[in-house]
Amino acid sequence: MTKCKSDLSFVAAGVVGALALVSAEGALAAQTNAPKVPATSVTVETVAEGLENPWGLQFLPDGRMLVTERPGRLRIVSKDGQLSKPVSEVPKVYARGQGGLLDVRLSHNFADDGMLFLSYAEPRDGGKAATAVARARLELTDDGGRLSDVKVIFQQQPAYSTTRHFGSRIVIDKKGVLFITTGDRGQGEPAQNPDETVGKVIRINADGSIPDDNPKPEGWKPEIWSIGHRNIQGAVLDVETGQLWTVEHGARGGDELNHPEKGKNYGWPVITYGRDYSGAKIGIGTEKAGMEQPVYYWDPSIATSGLELYTGDLFPQWKGNFLVGGLAGAQLARLVMKDGQVVGQEILLKDEGLRIRDVRQGPDGAVYLLVDESDGAILRLSPESK
């Protein structure tokens, strides 16, 4: 990796360079191609290997890790990288295409209740599938663990026969309320239909019930928080402000960073900065009244997946920055934020050629990455020692 001390003193001066468009009313429309910041010297270590298409990573209180494998396995990974036997009683998954076992998150009261949440592509009648979320109690054993009291608390409707765009991240707030991201299943238009949970951000209680303060506009299913999303595969909550942030796959040149807000429409597929893979135009353009602009978009796309807001001390210059995994882009992007806008970027691991599926800050302040390959791995990023 390049050796250089990070110096962000120039960033404020580079804000103008990060502003891509301004609407006719003079309001900020969107940002892209933020100016580069000096590179950070990092050490990359392999923590564990032999994982088949790992998708979601979650630290247990004792420092071990839970990792999902897309074919349908949940494993416990020791601090020294040893993989447990698959945890038993995991729900059956639709392991085709982009489907399978996806995200994993612990209850906000895990130390007391031992509960976790899994998102996955759920097989449905007629060979169809849709995103679902189940909660369960994790019982640890000497060689792994088992799930008990498994209950499905969310089922995306309707199901489709395609194998694309399941979402799907889970974020849990301080009160234990869940945000769940769903994909548009490659269908596009249903993301604008508030009577379907396709291409949406969902907000439910831990038992599957609907929070009283959900938006509930007329015609919306009560579990929907926001609409008009293509395929959100990264999500994180700013614990200080309570703001949800997401990254979603666009088409060509249309990956987005958003902060989905209550009752708002994020435009897909009516407005987008992306183009069809054939090069054809999608929708009506980049703006429409009543539809939200992304905070930032990538052109070219990097196939965003995995999002973390760094708050640790190991990389003090990264505090308050977003870390975004790239699949097709094979990178870890660091977005420097100021007043809710992206004012700088650093591209890490570009020379490694790795598909970064998930990004998590560890209890030690290091950054942990899932490499999504048939022989996948967990990587640890720490500052390069002098």
Side-chain angles (χ1 to χ4, degrees):
M1 306 300 293
T2 304
K3 296 183 179 181
C4 179
K5 292 183 178 179
S6 289
D7 178 7
L8 305 185
S9 60
F10 79 98
V11 163
V15 174
V16 175
L19 305 185
L21 295 172
V22 177
S23 71
E25 292 79 17
L28 180 67
Q31 297 174 274
T32 191
N33 297 321
K36 294 181 179 179
V37 301
T40 308
S41 296
V42 299
T43 296
V44 182
E45 304 169 90
T46 300
V47 175
E49 297 179 293
L51 292 158
E52 185 176 359
N53 297 111
W55 213 96
L57 172 66
Q58 173 73 77
F59 280 90
L60 289 165
D62 64 6
R64 289 183 294 173
M65 292 164 277
L66 288 173
V67 179
T68 61
E69 294 176 286
R70 205 169 68 238
R73 294 182 292 273
L74 175 65
R75 295 194 188 267
I76 300 168
V77 183
S78 67
K79 293 180 183 180
D80 61 359
Q82 298 300 308
L83 306 185
S84 74
K85 293 180 179 179
V87 173
S88 64
E89 308 305 320
V90 170
K92 183 179 179 181
V93 305
Y94 177 87
R96 295 178 58 192
Q98 297 173 5
L101 185 59
L102 304 174
D103 208 10
V104 56
R105 286 291 172 266
L106 302 184
S107 158
H108 73 309
N109 286 325
F110 180 80
D112 297 323
D113 62 23
M115 300 296 291
L116 57 72
F117 300 88
L118 294 169
S119 70
Y120 56 100
E122 180 183 55
R124 303 274 179 88
D125 292 342
K128 296 180 179 180
T131 302
V133 172
R135 70 173 188 180
R137 193 178 310 278
L138 176 63
E139 300 175 2
L140 298 173
T141 62
D142 290 341
D143 59 354
R146 66 182 296 272
L147 300 183
S148 63
D149 302 326
V150 179
K151 177 185 177 183
V152 178
I153 60 170
F154 169 74
Q155 292 177 301
Q156 184 188 49
Q157 299 290 349
Y160 289 95
S161 58
T162 70
T163 63
R164 297 183 292 159
H165 298 189
F166 291 93
S168 108
R169 292 292 174 188
I170 304 169
V171 174
I172 305 175
D173 72 12
K174 293 179 180 178
K175 297 180 180 179
V177 176
L178 278 65
F179 290 97
I180 301 163
T181 73
T182 73
D184 73 348
R185 302 305 317 286
Q187 304 301 302
E189 291 300 332
Q192 287 294 318
N193 183 350
D195 193 42
E196 296 185 6
T197 50
V198 175
K200 310 296 192 299
V201 173
I202 305 300
R203 185 172 181 262
I204 59 173
N205 293 315
D207 61 359
S209 62
I210 309 300
D212 292 337
D213 57 346
N214 267 16
K216 304 173 187 173
E218 184 177 355
W220 284 39
K221 283 191 174 296
E223 62 265 39
I224 293 176
W225 179 257
S226 60
I227 72 173
H229 301 285
R230 185 173 183 266
N231 192 21
I232 299 175
Q233 290 198 0
V236 68
L237 200 70
D238 185 331
V239 294
E240 292 188 2
T241 65
Q243 176 67 62
L244 175 70
W245 290 84
T246 62
V247 288
E248 66 182 271
H249 285 259
R252 292 175 56 188
D255 292 352
E256 295 181 356
L257 170 71
N258 288 298
H259 50 73
E261 296 183 324
K262 183 176 181 175
K264 292 188 177 181
N265 185 340
Y266 289 81
W268 176 259
V270 180
I271 62 171
T272 176
Y273 287 88
R275 301 170 302 283
D276 190 80
Y277 296 108
S278 68
K281 179 181 177 180
I282 299 173
I284 65 169
T286 59
E287 293 184 61
K288 183 179 180 181
M291 294 185 176
E292 303 302 309
Q293 288 289 305
V295 174
Y296 190 79
Y297 68 96
W298 281 263
D299 190 4
S301 297
I302 65 170
T304 52
S305 184
L307 175 67
E308 182 66 291
L309 176 60
Y310 189 79
T311 60
D313 295 324
L314 202 60
F315 292 97
Q317 71 274 32
W318 289 11
K319 280 195 174 183
N321 294 182
F322 286 117
L323 302 175
V324 183
L327 295 167
Q331 64 182 256
L332 177 68
R334 175 168 71 95
L335 301 182
V336 182
M337 305 298 294
K338 182 179 176 63
D339 298 327
Q341 298 297 323
V342 179
V343 297
Q345 64 168 329
E346 178 187 4
I347 307 302
L348 297 118
L349 308 184
K350 184 66 175 177
D351 296 334
E352 304 293 325
L354 304 172
R355 287 171 48 85
I356 306 302
R357 175 62 73 177
D358 202 8
V359 185
R360 292 293 145 200
Q361 178 181 311
D364 56 356
V367 174
Y368 291 77
L369 309 174
L370 287 185
V371 178
D372 184 358
E373 302 287 356
S374 57
D375 184 13
I378 303 173
L379 305 181
R380 179 181 184 270
L381 271 60
S382 60
E384 188 171 70
S385 57
K386 300 297 188 287

